[in-house]
Amino acid sequence: ERGSYIEGPLELLDGMRVHGQEVSILNYAMAACVRSGHFERALGLFAELRGRGLSPDTYSYCLVMFALMSLGQFAEAEELHRQAMQAYVCPAWWRLVDASTEGGRAGKELVLVDLHFLLVPEAELVVLMMLLMVRGHAGSPWCGKDVLVVCGRGLRSKNSEGKVKTAVVRLFERELKLKFGIAERDKGGALVARGDDILSCVGVSEAACRICSEVVPPTAFDRFRKKK
């Protein structure tokens, strides 16, 4: 059943190879691969993107990093993140901080995840990556840590509407069944996921299958259809 997710995007991608590719189309195909659990295929599409001289955007990196982590390749994902930061495509999304600076207990570290300036699909994948690192990267400095997610409103949110925070709350509550405390901070607020809850959750990859959105702008489809 999951395989059906990728048939349409990959057919569209085949056409774009003939008529001229766009990064958004490749992102669309990679998202479909991640959604269906075809992580190796997503990595192949990312390699194709680079091989054709196209520049990956933030969503490209989010998708391929999540695919790498889902395959247990955490070191490779972190190295790719460093490359993206050096290219000024992605910021440092997460860092370890002393919990006392965020209202917690002194001497205890937590992971601070900053989702400012991200679109909802990007923010969701960043949170899922951090959850994978906390629960599946044994021996790393992230393992078992509490996570504080600073949401902001998110790019393209209107007025005071917090699309990113709403998406992360939905991700925690509905997909991962996590209990969390909300500490209101600025307008966007912050969400806390306890390390013990993250370690006990089992649905990280399944959640990715449900949140990977089809994000190709309609204009890209229109241009392709006209060329056909």
Side-chain angles (χ1 to χ4, degrees), residues 8-182:
L10 292 181
E11 182 181 349
L12 177 64
L13 181 58
D14 287 338
M16 293 300 291
R17 288 191 179 104
V18 176
H19 296 290
Q21 288 186 26
E22 294 185 7
V23 172
S24 60
I25 301 295
L26 278 160
N27 286 347
Y28 173 59
M30 282 194 289
C33 291
V34 169
R35 185 181 183 188
S36 59
H38 290 77
F39 301 120
E40 293 90 348
R41 200 160 190 177
L43 299 183
L45 289 171
F46 185 77
E48 178 181 335
L49 187 156
R50 282 182 151 181
R52 290 178 176 269
L54 299 171
S55 299
D57 61 16
T58 302
Y59 192 52
S60 310
Y61 280 107
C62 287
L63 288 164
V64 74
M65 287 172 61
F66 182 83
L68 286 167
M69 290 186 186
S70 297
L71 294 169
Q73 300 177 30
F74 291 96
E76 291 84 349
E78 293 187 57
E79 173 57 31
L80 195 62
H81 189 199
R82 281 191 286 272
Q83 294 175 18
M85 288 191 292
Q86 290 172 356
Y88 300 102
V89 178
C90 302
W93 290 313
W94 47 67
R95 65 183 186 274
L96 288 172
V97 299
D98 191 301
S100 63
T101 64
E102 304 298 331
R105 190 172 71 246
K108 181 181 179 181
E109 285 186 320
L110 58 76
V111 183
L112 178 65
V113 182
D114 190 345
L115 303 181
H116 283 92
F117 310 114
L118 291 178
L119 297 170
V120 168
E122 299 164 351
E124 290 173 323
L125 283 169
V126 167
V127 171
L128 285 173
M129 283 190 280
M130 191 69 258
L131 295 177
L132 281 173
M133 292 173 73
V134 169
R135 73 181 295 264
H137 199 357
S140 80
W142 317 102
C143 188
K145 295 288 194 300
D146 293 348
V147 175
L148 175 66
V149 182
V150 181
C151 299
R153 289 198 300 271
L155 286 180
R156 300 179 190 170
S157 293
K158 295 179 180 179
N159 302 322
S160 60
E161 177 189 7
K163 288 185 177 180
V164 164
K165 181 178 178 181
T166 300
V168 175
V169 168
R170 182 172 63 244
L171 180 63
F172 282 169
E173 289 186 332
R174 298 182 185 176
E175 306 292 358
L176 303 180
K177 305 297 188 292
L178 291 179
K179 298 177 181 178
F180 59 89
I182 300 178

